[in-house]
Amino acid sequence: KLIVLDEPTSQLDPVATDDLLATLSRLASDRGATIVLADHRIERALSLVDRVIVFERGQLAIDGTPQEFLERAAESDTLNHLLPPLAELFDRAGLRPLPIDARAARTQLAGVEVATAPVRQASPGAAVLTLRGVKHEYAGSTQPALQGVDLALGAGERVALLGANGSGKSTLLRIAHGVQTAGCGEAIRGGEVALLLQNPNDYLIHERVADEAPLDSLASFGLEPFAERDPRDLSGGERQRLALAIVTQGDPVALLLDEPTRGMDQARKLELAAMLREIAGSGTAVMVATHDAEFAANFAERAVLLGGGKVLADAPAPAVLGRGWHFATATARLFPGSGLLTPADGAAALRAAGSQGGGS
C-alpha cells in the first residue's frame, strides 16, 4: 500500500526515468498505492504528484500542492534553486502563474514567438586526447560496448558525453584515461589524463584532508579550511571538490568525469558546472558523461551523443541539446529549434519578445 523510493532516478537515463515515473503513476491510479518519492530531479514528476514536501536543515519548510510549492519556493531566497527549469524560466521572466509542466507553459505562451539564438562555434586548442577506431566488447555480451569510435578533445574544450544506459559512455571514459585497454583502436594522450568516477569516496584513503592533496590544490577548490578534517566528515559537495583536487593535482591535459551530478541538488550542480568551466579556462579539456541535459547546458559548449557504442551526434551543444526529446533541455522542448537551452536563455528571449510586442 505504501512505496517509498530514495533517489530512484539518479542513475537513470531520461527514457528509463520516464518509464519508471509512468509505472509509479499506474501503481497509484490503478492499485491505489501511496507513492513517496525523494528526488532532486522533480521536473518530470511534478505534474504526476498531489503533494510536495520540502525539508530545509532537518525541518519542514513546504508542504502543499505542486502549484503552492512553486510559488513558495520562488519567494524564498534559500529554496528558489529547487524550481524546475520551466518554472525558473517564468520566474526569471516575471511571468505568473509558474507552470507545473510543459503543457501549462505552452498554454500560457500561446502566440508568443521568440528569436532564434545564434549557434556559437567553439574554438578549442590543439588536440590533447584522441580516440581512433576504438572498439571494445565484453565477454558474454551480445553487442560491442564501442564500435569504431573516433573522437578528439582540444585544450580547454568543454564536452558533454550523452547517451542511454549501456550506450558505452563509461567504457569510453575508462579507455580514454587508460585504466582500461581497448579491444581495438588507440587512445593518443598529449599528457596526463585524469578520471573521476561516480563515487568520490573511492578516492579518499587518508584520515586528514591535508594528506589527500597538496595545500595549493586544496586551496584552488576552496578546501584549505578543512585541511585537518577527516575527509569522510565532509559534505557530499565538499567530497566531490576534494576528489577533483586529488585527480587534478598533476595538471592534467584532460579531465574526464563519469556522472558527477548523481544525487546532487541544483545548487551543487551549478557550483560544479562553474568549477569545471574554470578548470577548462586554465587549458584543461573537460568531458563529462551525464544523463542530465540541464547540467550539460550549463557546462558544455559541445555535446557528443552515443548510442549502441557509436557516435550518433557530435556538434555544438545547442545543436544536440536543442533537438529531439529525451536529451533536450526543458527550455529547448518549450522552444524547439530556437537554440535556447537554459531558463536564463528562455527568460531573456521572452523579455525581448515582450518588449518588441509592447508587453507580455
Side-chain angles (χ1 to χ4, degrees):
K1 294 181 182 298
L2 174 65
I3 302 173
V4 182
L5 304 99
D6 190 7
E7 296 282 356
T9 69
S10 63
Q11 289 184 276
L12 298 183
D13 62 50
V15 178
T17 295
D18 286 346
D19 288 344
L20 173 64
L21 293 176
T23 299
L24 294 176
S25 182
R26 286 195 299 271
L27 286 171
S29 61
D30 297 348
R31 299 190 182 183
T34 295
I35 312 293
V36 179
L37 174 70
D39 211 323
H40 292 303
R41 299 167 61 183
I42 64 171
E43 54 267 19
R44 297 193 179 187
L46 198 59
S47 62
L48 304 176
V49 305
D50 306 299
R51 181 178 170 195
V52 179
I53 298 172
V54 177
F55 281 91
E56 184 178 24
R57 300 184 182 276
Q59 295 185 333
L60 185 65
I62 299 175
D63 184 354
T65 66
Q67 196 66 56
E68 290 170 341
F69 154 69
L70 292 178
E71 297 299 338
R72 291 181 61 183
E75 294 169 359
S76 170
D77 292 335
T78 59
L79 299 177
N80 55 12
H81 68 278
L82 298 177
L83 287 176
L86 293 184
E88 180 189 348
L89 189 161
F90 272 58
D91 187 50
R92 285 174 173 266
L95 301 177
R96 290 295 188 275
L98 301 181
I100 291 177
D101 56 17
R103 177 187 295 179
R106 284 194 296 270
T107 299
Q108 288 176 243
L109 296 180
V112 176
E113 295 185 4
V114 297
T116 300
V119 176
R120 293 182 292 274
Q121 294 286 343
S123 300
V128 295
L129 175 62
T130 303
L131 302 181
R132 290 181 180 168
V134 172
K135 300 179 181 179
H136 194 76
E137 186 170 351
Y138 292 103
S141 176
T142 58
Q143 179 177 312
L146 295 175
Q147 304 186 57
V149 171
D150 295 310
L151 186 66
L153 298 185
E157 196 169 20
R158 307 190 308 271
V159 182
L161 182 63
L162 308 169
N165 292 110
S167 61
K169 301 188 302 297
S170 295
T171 300
L172 186 151
L173 293 185
R174 290 196 293 266
I175 290 174
H177 172 265
V179 71
Q180 183 171 328
T181 303
C184 184
E186 60 180 343
I188 304 169
R189 306 174 189 90
E192 180 184 351
V193 174
L195 172 63
L196 182 61
L197 297 173
Q198 294 183 12
N199 188 357
N201 293 329
D202 293 342
Y203 295 82
L204 310 179
I205 60 175
H206 296 287
E207 296 184 2
R208 287 194 321 148
V209 169
D211 295 328
E212 299 283 8
L215 283 178
D216 59 341
S217 295
L218 296 178
S220 65
F221 289 95
L223 294 169
E224 201 171 14
F226 307 112
E228 298 303 318
R229 295 268 298 275
D230 188 311
R232 292 148 202 87
D233 292 336
L234 301 179
S235 71
E238 290 161 353
R239 274 177 279 159
Q240 184 86 21
R241 295 205 305 271
L242 179 55
L244 278 171
I246 292 169
V247 301
T248 60
Q249 60 185 286
D251 195 21
V253 297
L255 171 63
L256 314 176
L257 301 96
D258 194 2
E259 293 289 347
T261 63
R262 182 184 64 171
M264 279 190 182
D265 61 30
Q266 181 64 7
R268 285 181 180 169
K269 289 179 186 179
L270 292 175
E271 289 176 2
L272 178 61
M275 196 181 310
L276 296 180
R277 289 195 300 268
E278 185 176 345
I279 291 173
S282 68
T284 300
V286 181
M287 182 161 67
V288 179
T290 183
H291 294 137
D292 192 332
E294 306 295 336
F295 173 78
N298 277 304
F299 151 73
E301 56 190 348
R302 172 185 168 198
V304 176
L305 178 63
L306 290 185
K310 299 178 180 178
V311 175
L312 303 181
D314 183 352
V320 179
L321 298 172
R323 297 181 180 179
W325 182 256
H326 289 297
F327 287 98
T329 67
T331 301
R333 293 195 296 270
L334 182 61
F335 303 119
S338 67
L340 302 170
L341 297 184
T342 69
D345 295 339
L350 283 178
R351 287 194 296 267
S355 63
Q356 292 171 4
S360 59

